[in-house]
Amino acid sequence: MSRNRTPVFATILALAAATLGGTTLQAQAGSTRGLMVGLQYSGASVSVKEAAEDLKFGSGFGLHAGFGMSDNVAVLVNFDRNVLTRRGDSDDVTISQYDALLRLYLVPGADSPVRLFATAGATGRAASGSTDFDGVAPTGGAGVHIGLTPNIAVTGSALWTFGNLTRLRDITGGNTTKESFKSTGTRVQVGASLYLFR
């Protein structure tokens, strides 16, 4: 009789260990602690209001690195480069954006592989092409973090940058006077991150 119970008991232990192991992996996949690096696809558009400049949505790429100080707070540096088209002509404008961001993971907790976050910080922007602009402005946004494994996550986010851009020159109009204009920048990002040393 004890021989018949042994395989059943061993099977129950094996199932419990597998379930516990799966739960632990899932919980680790939701963790945002530690050093991470990654890359992303990005799409961007910029409206420079008083200058009547609309740089239409264009695609590009980006790189990021960050450090999760806890399961709820991380710091992130980010670089994106996009090629946009100027409204009214076919001249391309290349815009580079550099971010220093604080990311706050809101819900649910670290035991879930899917986490929503809010982010805020500062962005340095430089546009070159038919028009040259640059400036530093505040940025805010939100996104979702999906932990696929303890070391790999995918993220999707939307960022808005509000602030002044300084026009350095306008090749088409021959304007070389520095002027400052209010602007609104919009970006979407879809990327992958690798968490190191876990």
Side-chain angles (χ1 to χ4, degrees):
M1 206 173 212
S2 61
R3 288 180 184 175
N4 291 338
R5 289 183 183 174
T6 303
V8 173
F9 184 67
T11 303
I12 292 171
L13 280 179
L15 288 173
T19 303
L20 181 60
T23 303
T24 303
L25 276 179
Q26 186 179 27
Q28 288 176 351
S31 176
T32 56
R33 291 177 183 260
L35 182 65
M36 61 91 158
V37 295
L39 50 87
Q40 71 264 357
Y41 161 84
S42 80
S45 65
V46 178
S47 173
V48 186
K49 295 179 175 58
E50 292 91 343
E53 296 272 3
D54 278 328
L55 302 177
K56 295 180 181 177
F57 186 89
S59 62
F61 68 92
L63 304 169
H64 61 266
F67 183 74
M69 297 176 286
S70 73
D71 284 324
N72 296 317
V73 179
V75 291
L76 185 75
V77 291
N78 183 66
F79 165 77
D80 285 322
R81 175 168 286 165
N82 300 85
V83 178
L84 313 180
T85 302
R86 198 166 114 161
R87 184 183 65 181
D89 59 39
S90 59
D91 292 335
D92 289 338
V93 175
T94 300
I95 184 164
S96 299
Q97 301 186 75
Y98 306 85
D99 306 297
L101 300 170
L102 180 68
R103 188 179 280 183
L104 179 62
Y105 295 89
L106 303 172
V107 290
D111 56 341
S112 171
V114 179
R115 316 245 353 243
L116 300 180
F117 63 83
T119 188
T123 297
R125 299 178 288 176
S128 61
S130 57
T131 300
D132 283 3
F133 288 97
D134 72 6
V136 177
T139 292
V144 61
H145 167 106
I146 302 171
L148 301 179
T149 73
N151 296 96
I152 298 173
V154 294
T155 56
S157 61
L159 298 171
W160 292 271
T161 302
F162 305 96
N164 290 343
L165 280 173
T166 300
R167 181 162 64 188
L168 305 178
R169 65 190 176 109
D170 186 339
I171 295 172
T172 58
N175 181 7
T176 57
T177 304
K178 289 187 177 183
E179 298 175 85
S180 188
F181 301 97
K182 289 182 180 177
S183 71
T184 303
T186 304
R187 267 182 295 166
V188 292
Q189 299 171 327
V190 178
S193 302
L194 175 65
Y195 283 81
L196 306 174
F197 311 118
R198 284 193 172 174

